[in-house]
Amino acid sequence: MSPQTQEAARLRARAALRKGLGTALSYALMLLILAFAIFPFLWTLAISITDKQASGISIYDFPRSLFPPAVTLGNFFEVITKLNLGKYFLNSVIITALTVVGTLVVSALAAYPLARLQFPGRALIFGAIVSTLVLPTEIAFIVNVLTLRDLGLLGTYAGVVLPIIATAFGIFLMRQAYLAIPGTLMEAARIDGATELQILWRVMIPLSVPSLTALGIFTLVGTWNAFFWPSVALLTNDDLLPMSVAILKLKGQFNYDVFNVAAGAMIMMIPVLVVFFMAQRFFMRGMEGAVKG
Amino acid sequence: MKQQAFTTTLIAYAFLAPALVLMGLFTFYPVIYGSYLGFTDYTVADLATGEGPKWVGLKNIQFVLGDPLFQTGILNSLKYLLVVPILQIASLAVAVLVNQKLPFMALFRVGYYIPVVTSISLAAVMWEWIFQKEGFLNWSLQLLNVLNSEGRFNWLLNENTALWAIMLVTFWRGFGYYMVLYLAGLQSIPAELEEAATLDGASAWQRFWLIIVPLMRPTLLLCSLLSTIAAIRVLEEIIVFTGGSGGPLNSTYTALLYVYNKSWGNMLNANFGVAGAAGLLIALVGFALSYVNFRLTREERSER
Amino acid sequence: MVKRLLAASALALGLSAFAQTQIEFWTYYLSPNFDNYIKSTIADFEKENPTIKVRWVDKQDTMERDLTAAVALGRAPDVVNLWQDSTFAAAQNKILTPITQLVNRNVLNQLYYPNVLDMFVTEGQVYGLPWYGWLDQGVMMYNPDLLQKAGVDVRTIRNTDDLLAASARIKQATGAYGWLPPVKDPNGASFLGRFFLEGLPIYDKDGKAAFNSPAHVALLQKYVDAMKNDVIPQELLRKEAFQLSNELYSQGKAAIVVGAPTTLNRVKEANPDLYAKTRIVPAPLGKAGIQTGGAMSLVIPSASKNKSAAIRFALFVTNRTNQVKFANVVPIVSTAAGSENDPGLKAKSNDPLEIGKGMNSASGRLINPGFKPPKNTDDVYKNFNDNIEAAFLGRKTAKQALDDAVAFWNANAK
C-alpha cells in the first residue's frame, strides 16, 4: 500500500473513531437526561404493579419501593371496576378527539390569512389573539358556563369542546409554521391559478405537518388531562364526564389508596404516551423537494 | 386591483371567522367582563342574593397594589422568569440531540415527554423525597463536596431555596414540552446547511449557536413568549408543593396565587372584584413582558 | 262502584304524578368507597317516601366551586354535604337557607348533640344538620416495637406534656419521631387550637385577641425548642400533621399517631404488618382535658326548589339509625343524640378498626367545637400562621411573633 493510501486510511479511521466517540457521548448524555426525566414515572409504575397484599414495606421507602417483591395487575382491575371507568374512558376519547380535530381546523384556517394575506385589520386581530395569552381568565369559567346555559349547550359534549378549540397557542403555532414556508411556493401556486383554499390545502398544510402534529399532540395531552373545565361544563350531566375527573375520586380522606392512585395515574398516562410514540415520527418529515421550487 | 384586495379581505375574514366567533364569545367576552368586575364591588354574597356588581372605580386596584401579599406575589413571579432562558436553551439542545438519525431516538423522545404527562401530584411525592434533608439532592451535593452533613436542610422548607426548588420541577416538567416544539421547528432547517458547516470544520457547539439558533428564530419567539407567560402565571406546582399559603415566609407566594385565593380556590368567600383587579394587574405585567420578548427577538433579526 | 274506583285511582295517579319530586344530593369524597352505604340509605328513604326521588352526585375538590356555579346557573342542588368552615362561609355569603326556618330548634336539640349543633349556628340560626363527625384527638395509635425500644411505657403518657417528653426519648433511642402535633396545618390556625387545648384563652373578656400572655409565649417556646431539637419534624410547617404522621407511621419513621381511627384504613393498605401490630389507647389530652373535633353537615341552599323534600331527606340521613350504620362501615363519630348508649357502636372484635370504633364512635357529645372563629378568617389566620412559622424558623422570638399576630388580629378581624 502506498503511503498516501495508508495516510488516508488512518485519517478515515480517526474520523470514524471521533464519530463513534461523539455518538457514544451523545448516548451517554441522553441516557442521563432520560434518567432525570423518568424517575417519578418509574416509581409510579412500580407502585401501580405492586401487590399490596404481599408487601410488608411502605411505598415511601425509597429506593426499595422501586422493586416490589410481588407484582400484580390487580390494582388496575380494581380501579377500573371501582370507578366504572369504561364509560368515562369513552367520554375522554370523544371529547379529546373532537377537541383535537376542532383545534386543528380552527387554527390551520385562522393562521393562514394572518401569515400570508394582506388585509385591513390584520395586525390588530393578531395582536388581540396573542393578547389572550396574558389576559386574566380566572373567572372566565363562570361566565362561559352561563353562556353555555343560554345557548342550551350546558351538559353536552359541544359545550365542553366549543369554548376551548379557538386558542391563541394554536393559531400562533400554525402562523409560525406557515411563515417558515418560502413565499415563492405560494407565488408559484397563485400564478398557476390556485384559489386561497387550494393553496392552504395543497401547499401550506402538507408542508407544516410537523407543526400540525405538535399542535395535535399538545391539544390531545392537554384535553386528556384537563379536569377543571370539563367538570364545570358538565355540572348538570355527569354521565359525560371524562376519565380525568373520575380519577380524582381515588384521593380524599377515606379513599386514599396509593396503589390505586398510581394505577389510575398509569391508566391516564399510558394511552397518551402510546399516541405520542406513534405520532412523533411525523415531527421528522423533511422539506424534500420544497426548496428547489 | 381593488377588486382583488376586496376579495382577499373577504376570504381572509372567512378563514378567520370560526376563530373570531369562538374567541369572541368564550375568551374575549369573559375577559372583558372579568376585567370590568375589577372596578366593581362583587362578592359571592352578591351572586347568591342576585345583586349585581356595584361600580367602585379604582378602589380594588388601589387595594391590591397596596397589599403586601400581592407585592410579594409579583416579586416572586418575576423571580420565576429566571427559569425561561435556561429552559429554552436546554429544550432546544435536547431537541437537537434527539433529532439525530440514530437508532432508538423514538424512545428518547417519548421518554423526555413523559414528565409533561406525569401527574404532578404523584411526581411531587418523589420530588419531595429528593429535596428532603436526607434526600437525593443533598446526597449528591455532599458527594461533590459542595455541602457537608451539618449544612443539610430541606430545600422546600428554607425560604431562600423553596422557590428555586420548585423552579427545578418546572424545568423538569417543561423541557420535554418545548423539545417537541423545537423538534417541529428544526425540520425546516435544511440538512445541507449543517453538513456544509461540518465539512468546513465547525464543532457541534459552533453549529448550535451559529446556525441552528439563528434559523430557529420563529420557534424561539413562540417558545420564549409562551414560557415567559407561563412563568409569570405559575400556579399548579406552587400549590402542589407549598399549598395555598405560599411556602416558608411566603417565599413561594406567586402573583396568581393571590387571585386563586380570592376566587376559585376559595369559592365560598370569593371576592370577584379584588380577583378581577389583581388579574388585570398581572395581565399588564404579562403584556409588558411580551412586548419585551417581541422586541428582543425582532431586533436581533433585523441586525442580521 | 267501578266508576268510583276508577275515579279514585285516577285521582291517586294524578296526585302522585304531581307530587313526584326529584331532589339532588351532593356528598363530599364518599364515592366509590361508600357507594353501597349511600345507595342503600337512599333506597330506604325512597321506600318510605315514594313521592321523592333522590339523585346522588359525589364531589371532590370542586365542591365549593361547583356549588357556587350551580347557584349562579339557577340549578342549585337540594341537599349538600359541607363541613364547618364551608357551612360558615356559605351561610355568611347568603347561599343557605337556615335550617331553623324549616325545623323547630327544639326538635333539633332533641335530635343532635348540642355541642355539635352549635358548630353550625351563625347569628342565632342553625344552618346545617350535623352529620358524621370526628375527634381531633381521637385515639392514640402506636407502634409497640418502637416504644419498647425506647423504653417508654405507654401508660406513663397521660397528657400532651408526657407526649412531648416521650417523643424526645423515642427520637433519641430509635431515630423515629414520636408524636407529630399540628402546629401549622394548611387550613385553620392550628396553634390557636393548641392554646385552646391547654386551657389558655384566645380572647379576653372584651372579645379582643389575647394570646400573647407569658403563658402563651412559654407554650409556643416549648414547641419551638422541640422543633429546633428535631423532636418534632420541620415538615410540620409545610404539611398537615395528621397526613404527615400517617405517612411516617406507615414507614416506621414515627411511632405515634394521635387522631381519628379512620386513619387505620390507610395503614392497613400501606403496611399490613404494621397494622396488625398497632395498639390503640384513648388519646392523651392537653391541660384543658377537652377533645376538639368537627363534623360534616347537610345544608340546604336557598336556591333549592324543593326545600320540604330536601329537609325530610336530610333529617333521614342524619338520624341516629343511619349514623350508627355508617359508623359500622367506617369508624366515624356519630353526632345524633343518644348514640352513647347505642349498642350498634360497641366493639365486636379485636381488630384495630373495631376497637377504634368502640372507643370513638359513641363520643359525639365530647366534641368540643373549639373557639369561635373571627370574621375575615382568611387574612387573619394567614397572618397568624405566618407569625408562628417565623417563630419556628427562628426569624422572630416567640414573644415578638405572638405580639405581632395579636396586633394584626385586632386591627383586621372585623
Side-chain angles (χ1 to χ4, degrees), chain C residues 152-204:
Chain C
V152 171
D153 185 337
V154 72
R155 286 164 304 185
T156 60
I157 306 181
R158 288 149 312 194
N159 53 42
T160 47
D161 286 340
D162 293 341
L163 262 177
L164 268 183
S167 301
R169 287 176 61 185
I170 296 175
K171 183 86 199 328
Q172 188 166 45
T174 69
Y177 291 105
W179 176 48
L180 271 65
V183 297
K184 190 193 165 245
D185 276 356
N187 297 316
S190 314
F191 217 86
L192 280 180
R194 201 113 296 285
F195 288 143
F196 188 76
L197 288 166
E198 302 294 337
L200 296 174
I202 310 291
Y203 302 108
D204 62 17

Side-chain angles (χ1 to χ4, degrees), chain A residues 28-114:
Chain A
L29 185 59
M30 289 197 282
L31 278 169
L32 210 64
I33 302 177
L34 190 67
F36 172 68
I38 64 175
F39 70 90
F41 175 78
L42 289 178
W43 178 71
T44 309
L45 180 62
I47 302 282
S48 68
I49 54 176
T50 302
D51 187 346
K52 56 190 169 188
Q53 307 297 334
S55 60
I57 49 138
S58 161
I59 49 133
Y60 298 106
D61 218 344
F62 303 116
R64 267 214 295 176
S65 50
L66 281 173
F67 305 102
V71 295
T72 171
L73 287 178
N75 299 325
F76 290 94
F77 287 122
E78 202 181 318
V79 170
I80 294 178
T81 47
K82 223 176 171 188
L83 293 181
N84 195 6
L85 273 187
K87 169 169 83 171
Y88 300 115
F89 182 79
L90 201 62
N91 290 332
S92 283
V93 171
I94 295 177
I95 292 177
T96 305
L98 287 174
T99 308
V100 169
V101 171
T103 307
L104 287 177
V105 169
V106 170
S107 307
L109 272 178
Y112 180 61
L114 292 174

Side-chain angles (χ1 to χ4, degrees), chain A residues 124-243:
Chain A
L124 186 65
I125 292 186
F126 182 59
I129 289 180
V130 172
S131 71
T132 64
L133 289 171
V134 271
L135 288 176
T137 51
E138 283 68 54
I139 58 159
F141 73 94
I142 289 230
V143 178
N144 282 338
V145 101
L146 289 167
T147 309
L148 285 182
R149 179 197 61 182
D150 294 338
L151 291 174
L153 291 175
L154 198 59
T156 65
Y157 287 130
V160 180
V161 171
L162 284 177
I164 57 177
I165 55 177
T167 63
F169 174 71
I171 297 176
F172 201 156
L173 183 62
M174 291 318 296
R175 177 179 177 270
Q176 303 301 91
Y178 293 159
L179 281 176
I181 298 174
T184 44
L185 285 172
M186 273 183 47
E187 298 305 319
R190 283 223 185 91
I191 293 176
D192 283 347
T195 65
E196 300 297 343
L197 201 58
Q198 284 173 322
I199 296 179
L200 178 63
W201 184 244
R202 300 246 170 92
V203 178
M204 306 303 251
I205 288 191
L207 290 175
S208 39
V209 165
S211 292
L212 274 171
T213 313
L215 180 58
I217 293 278
F218 282 162
T219 312
L220 185 128
V221 171
T223 318
W224 184 261
N225 286 331
F227 58 88
F228 188 94
W229 170 246
S231 69
V232 180
L234 294 171
L235 200 57
T236 52
N237 188 355
D238 49 346
D239 281 333
L240 296 185
L241 282 175
M243 202 162 66

Side-chain angles (χ1 to χ4, degrees), chain C residues 77-240:
Chain C
D78 301 286
V79 179
V80 184
N81 164 205
L82 290 183
W83 52 98
Q84 282 155 281
D85 289 343
S86 52
T87 308
F88 185 61
Q92 290 252 298
N93 288 301
K94 322 237 185 3
I95 296 183
L96 305 179
T97 304
I99 301 285
T100 26
Q101 268 179 18
L102 302 166
V103 178
N104 203 300
R105 180 71 192 262
N106 295 328
V107 177
L108 292 175
N109 284 337
Q110 297 202 321
L111 290 174
Y112 307 102
Y113 289 125
N115 48 322
V116 186
L117 196 59
D118 205 42
M119 280 195 270
F120 303 113
V121 172
T122 315
E123 285 164 28
Q125 303 261 38
V126 176
Y127 278 93
L129 286 178
W131 198 15
Y132 65 92
W134 56 86
L135 284 164
D136 290 337
Q137 288 69 39
V139 294
M140 179 163 78
M141 300 157 268
Y142 65 93
N143 180 335
D145 295 340
L146 287 174
L147 255 66
Q148 190 180 43
K149 195 161 166 204
V152 171
D153 185 337
V154 72
R155 286 164 304 185
T156 60
I157 306 181
R158 288 149 312 194
N159 53 42
T160 47
D161 286 340
D162 293 341
L163 262 177
L164 268 183
S167 301
R169 287 176 61 185
I170 296 175
K171 183 86 199 328
Q172 188 166 45
T174 69
Y177 291 105
W179 176 48
L180 271 65
V183 297
K184 190 193 165 245
D185 276 356
N187 297 316
S190 314
F191 217 86
L192 280 180
R194 201 113 296 285
F195 288 143
F196 188 76
L197 288 166
E198 302 294 337
L200 296 174
I202 310 291
Y203 302 108
D204 62 17
K205 54 179 167 37
D206 301 319
K208 286 199 149 333
F211 45 81
N212 56 346
S213 81
H216 291 88
V217 174
L219 187 67
L220 178 56
Q221 189 63 47
K222 197 182 335 187
Y223 283 85
V224 169
D225 291 337
M227 190 178 281
K228 198 155 56 151
N229 298 324
D230 204 27
V231 171
I232 58 178
Q234 215 186 14
E235 283 280 300
L236 285 172
L237 292 176
R238 198 170 63 86
K239 278 192 154 165
E240 196 198 359

